[in-house]
Amino acid sequence: MRKQLRLSRTALAQQVQLSTAAIQRYEAQDGSHIKPSREAYERLCAALSGLLAESPAEPVRAPAAPAPAPQAVAAPAPAPAAVPDVLLSEATLEQLIARAKMLGAKKVTVEF
């Protein structure tokens, strides 16, 4: 969302009173990835949603990737099994994982 708003890490860090390094670690896709504290998360959400509300009606999108070269046509993937809608508080772990995968998750991590 920060990139969509064309906001630097430094500018966001100043708005939410965090270090630029913290923002970088929150966004990292490697071993340095950390999760923000609840307080930091709430400040980030408030700042980003406020900026998003002020931004132009059309969101800024990354340029489209070039289309891949045509290859042999494969058989269509089987449709995912339907997952019934269940309240989060009543869902089993298996239902939550199935729902996440149905929505496109490639990896599901469960922490207790």
Side-chain angles (χ1 to χ4, degrees):
M1 192 179 294
R2 176 188 63 77
K3 289 179 183 178
Q4 179 182 350
L5 292 165
R6 296 184 178 174
L7 189 63
S8 70
R9 287 184 181 127
T10 303
L12 178 59
Q14 288 173 347
Q15 281 200 347
V16 294
Q17 300 169 350
L18 293 170
S19 69
T20 303
I23 302 296
Q24 183 176 359
R25 288 192 306 266
Y26 298 156
E27 295 177 346
Q29 298 296 316
D30 57 15
S32 67
H33 172 80
I34 63 170
K35 294 179 183 176
S37 67
R38 176 176 225 98
E39 180 183 314
Y41 178 78
E42 289 172 356
R43 289 194 321 244
L44 284 164
C45 288
L48 290 170
S49 63
L51 290 168
L52 193 59
E54 295 171 5
S55 71
E58 297 235 3
V60 178
R61 300 195 191 283
Q71 296 180 352
V73 177
V83 178
D85 287 333
V86 178
L87 292 176
L88 181 61
S89 60
E90 297 174 359
T92 65
L93 184 57
E94 290 79 13
Q95 289 173 318
L96 294 172
I97 292 171
R99 181 73 174 174
K101 287 183 178 181
M102 186 179 83
L103 295 172
K106 294 178 183 171
K107 181 178 177 181
V108 178
T109 304
V110 179
E111 294 182 18
F112 291 95

